[in-house]
Amino acid sequence: MLSAHGSIPGLASPGRPQPCPSRVATGLVHRRRAIACADPSNGGSRRQPWDVLRFLKTVAYFNELPTPDKVLGNLLKQLTPQSQADSVVPVDLPQAALSVSAAPVPLDGIIMVTGATGGVGRRVVARLLAAGKHVRALVRDLDKAKTMLSGLPVAAGGKLELAAADVVQRQTLLPEMFEGVRAVVSCSAVKVAPKEGDTAERAKYYQGIKFYDPEVVGDTPEAVEYNGMVNILDAASDSLGIEGGMKLLHHSGQSAAQWGALDDVVMGGVSSSGLELVAGQGEEGGAAAWVFSGNVSTDNFGGFASVRTRNLDPPLDLSPYDGIELRLFGDGQRYKLIIRPDANWDGIAYCCSFDTRPGVWQAIRIPFANFFPVFRAKRVAVGSGAQPLDPSAISSIQIMLSKFEYDGQLNPNFRRGPFNLPISHISTYLAADLPPRFVHVSSAGVTRPNRPGINVDQEPPAVRLNDTLGGILTWKLAGEDALRASGVPYSIIRPTALTEEPGGMPIELDQGDTVKGKISREDIADLCVALLSCSAARNITFEVSSRVPFSQAWTLPDPTRPPFPRDWAAALSAANIRPGVTGRTVAGVYTGKQPEAEALQAAGITAPASSCKSTASPTAT
């Protein structure tokens, strides 16, 4: 519980933000003594007694002895090691010449495809492998998946793995299945089949729902379309990243770790600092902020104060993000942000200095690419004992105010004496031009059941049969809403009726969920892959159909020549596809082709809180 001045007394339970060691030991005594003894007008350094007790407390705080529970946990891990090989199965693919050049996919990392043995999913897998990508197919039946996918040709660099799991069963989605995953293409869907039965190849199903009397087979639409989406988001969001980033320190009191003071007492100095949550110090009136404050003295040849997290266990994987953002109230001084990729007390660290503007709140973004290796304030050349920062395993984070820069240079924006740096938050951030990390194939018509003014008799079969099929479209919309609320950068595709015709149809892109017609699964697979490299597609929901009448069969003008790759980014731009447009009916208002907020404001309605709970946790624990 916070005390009156905002500090947290005592050593709280693990996972809670902690005060600095000096605050634990003697409150503000050390800081006040250091301030009283310092002489800011003196340009030199004076010799003061070294506080050995504070030094020992600092070392003990950051090098805590393992608890019996941790020792037992480590022992169990050694006795029952879990390997990714137990749940992820590699597939040998033929290195065959590809008949067409695949569209490039600049995304690094593994791309997971759910529903990978379905009509769209297996085509997505084929295109990604042809582009030389590392694909992990999430499937329920390993033998079926091997039969269907093991003959796909692969370009240089391409790789296929199978992960046996069921999106309906959260416990089957193991953490190791999502290690290294940087994008998900979601093609999972409830299974619909003719009541009179189908062929082994599902020939009647692929003709389309218009031609048979359908029924849901197996898991319900609620289980697959909604619960399945929630489960995938819960398992994958840490690997994909979320809008707003991972909160490493937040004015709400959230923190990814326990913070403590690490001052120049470790080298004989007398500077003193701490980090505490203080009410009324935030940028919004009355809001709290974490305040890094204290006194920097150059006595005893010291000259730095800092706060650092205890080693994170397990280390944080920040690789989905572009860098770290600090929102703070500047004082005109230059600070350092320091990251350590291992648990060493005094090993190589990665640093980047940043300047603050006095008297204003500012957001400072530091890309991971800007951090460079340092050992005891001396740069370490990359390749000679150090590598570029790998943000996939971060063990600790530190903020420092120091008179020292690097390699013997002095900080040009440094003042001895008291300092005060309010911090609203420290978090990771996603690049502004980041393409969607989660591409989801939904369905046109999801907003039409119970929409005011809809004539159901004039709607496609899926809309007319929504209730008969267990609310299939209603639950698809709920799954969309869960994705939109998750914070994961997404793109939602709503195709009209899917067919087995060749790709290359003239297409129509729209929003508002009014289009009808058909579209080839080939074209939808092309679109899924293209969106992974299209930053303009981030956080949009749209419909896609062909301009070919449903009653007219589509064939290529020359079947021996595949269609030219379509410029999907140009098509999205030409159709004026905008974020925030869903076509949902909210509080009785059909929002149409307007962003929901605009449509509701025009109707004089205050938007109700979303009924969809975000499944992606914004905090690291």
Side-chain angles (χ1 to χ4, degrees), residues 74-396:
N74 291 334
L75 180 61
L76 290 175
K77 287 181 181 179
Q78 294 175 8
L79 294 176
T80 58
Q82 290 187 347
S83 170
Q84 189 183 79
D86 297 334
S87 57
V88 178
V89 180
V91 178
D92 292 329
L93 298 175
Q95 294 288 333
L98 300 171
S99 58
V100 294
S101 59
V105 182
L107 174 73
D108 293 326
I110 301 171
I111 302 172
M112 176 174 281
V113 181
T114 72
T117 58
V120 174
R122 66 174 182 266
R123 289 174 166 93
V124 171
V125 172
R127 283 159 173 76
L128 291 172
L129 292 173
K133 307 310 293 183
H134 185 168
V135 180
R136 187 169 294 162
L138 192 70
V139 298
R140 288 192 294 180
D141 188 330
L142 276 179
D143 292 335
K144 176 183 176 181
K146 288 179 181 179
T147 300
M148 295 184 68
L149 305 177
S150 60
L152 295 175
V154 58
K159 182 179 181 181
L160 175 62
E161 296 171 333
L162 303 179
D166 187 347
V167 298
V168 172
Q169 304 294 328
R170 175 63 181 89
Q171 67 273 19
T172 68
L173 300 172
L174 305 177
E176 54 266 29
M177 295 178 179
F178 296 87
E179 291 178 3
V181 171
R182 288 296 170 263
V184 171
V185 181
S186 168
C187 303
S188 300
V190 69
K191 186 174 182 178
V192 177
K195 289 182 180 179
E196 67 270 19
D198 205 344
T199 67
E201 294 77 22
R202 303 192 71 194
K204 293 181 181 180
Y205 167 77
Y206 285 125
Q207 285 182 333
I209 195 173
K210 182 177 181 179
F211 303 106
Y212 61 84
D213 187 17
E215 66 178 353
V216 171
V217 179
D219 294 312
T220 66
E222 179 183 5
V224 177
E225 307 291 351
Y226 176 66
N227 292 334
M229 173 64 77
V230 170
N231 290 338
I232 284 288
L233 289 169
D234 184 45
S237 59
D238 285 344
S239 296
L240 303 178
I242 58 173
E243 305 282 359
M246 180 185 293
K247 301 296 185 292
L248 306 173
L249 189 69
H250 195 257
H251 62 75
S252 65
Q254 296 173 348
S255 174
Q258 304 171 34
W259 292 75
L262 182 55
D263 302 319
D264 57 16
V265 67
V266 297
M267 53 180 285
V270 294
S271 299
S272 179
S273 70
L275 181 72
E276 58 185 352
L277 187 64
V278 181
Q281 291 291 302
E283 54 186 317
E284 297 178 3
W290 288 96
V291 179
F292 172 37
S293 63
N295 180 82
V296 180
S297 170
T298 56
D299 291 350
N300 294 18
F301 303 101
F304 73 85
S306 75
V307 286
R308 172 177 164 179
T309 65
R310 276 177 166 171
N311 285 331
L312 295 149
D313 185 17
L316 292 179
D317 180 4
L318 305 184
S319 54
Y321 299 95
D322 196 56
I324 293 180
E325 177 182 278
L326 302 95
R327 181 72 179 174
L328 51 80
F329 189 76
D331 61 0
Q333 299 199 77
R334 175 175 294 181
Y335 291 80
K336 293 179 182 179
L337 186 63
I338 305 171
I339 296 176
R340 284 179 170 79
D342 55 50
N344 290 335
W345 161 253
D346 189 25
I348 291 178
Y350 290 79
C351 298
C352 188
S353 297
F354 61 91
D355 292 315
T356 65
R357 298 195 305 270
V360 296
W361 282 97
Q362 60 185 122
I364 296 172
R365 287 192 165 185
I366 307 176
F368 289 126
N370 287 10
F371 286 85
F372 50 87
V374 169
F375 181 69
R376 296 181 182 175
K378 293 183 179 180
R379 293 177 186 259
V380 180
V382 172
S384 61
Q387 300 298 322
L389 174 65
D390 177 6
S392 65
I394 302 302
S395 288
S396 69

Side-chain angles (χ1 to χ4, degrees), residues 22 28-39 44-52 54-55 262-273 294-306 404 416-417 419:
S22 60
L28 297 175
V29 173
H30 289 297
R31 183 184 303 175
R32 288 171 178 164
R33 185 174 66 188
I35 294 174
C37 293
D39 183 5
S45 298
R46 297 191 303 156
R47 175 54 90 182
Q48 296 188 35
W50 182 37
D51 194 333
V52 179
R54 187 158 70 96
F55 166 76
L262 182 55
D263 302 319
D264 57 16
V265 67
V266 297
M267 53 180 285
V270 294
S271 299
S272 179
S273 70
N295 180 82
V296 180
S297 170
T298 56
D299 291 350
N300 294 18
F301 303 101
F304 73 85
S306 75
F404 310 102
R416 297 186 307 278
F419 68 94

